[in-house]
Amino acid sequence: QDMTEKELLKMELDQLKKEVKNERQMISKTGKELKDYIESMAGEDPLLKGVPEDKNPFKEKGGCTIS
């Protein structure tokens, strides 16, 4: 894109101002919470248990045969 260096620096500064407002937490705490959440939701995860054939939106609707 045709942005001047000043515009790029202003965008970066604006982004840093937003990021500095984020509350930080220790990874020792958030890591355990994330692990517990993932393990509690594993039973509902279609990537782990699969998608039933009747609910699979990517299943081919029909086939084509050439004879």
Side-chain angles (χ1 to χ4, degrees), residues 17-32:
K17 285 180 181 178
K18 290 177 188 175
E19 289 179 18
V20 79
K21 294 177 186 174
N22 288 341
E23 183 181 337
R24 310 278 181 189
Q25 293 187 2
M26 302 281 291
I27 189 65
S28 57
K29 179 182 179 214
T30 57
K32 181 181 180 334

Side-chain angles (χ1 to χ4, degrees), residues 14-59:
D14 291 341
Q15 180 64 34
L16 290 172
K17 285 180 181 178
K18 290 177 188 175
E19 289 179 18
V20 79
K21 294 177 186 174
N22 288 341
E23 183 181 337
R24 310 278 181 189
Q25 293 187 2
M26 302 281 291
I27 189 65
S28 57
K29 179 182 179 214
T30 57
K32 181 181 180 334
E33 290 174 357
L34 183 59
K35 179 180 170 260
D36 292 343
Y37 174 77
I38 290 170
E39 289 175 349
S40 72
M41 300 302 286
E44 301 172 25
D45 190 335
L47 294 175
L48 295 176
K49 72 175 197 169
V51 178
E53 284 294 320
D54 61 333
K55 294 185 180 182
N56 186 350
F58 300 106
K59 179 183 174 189

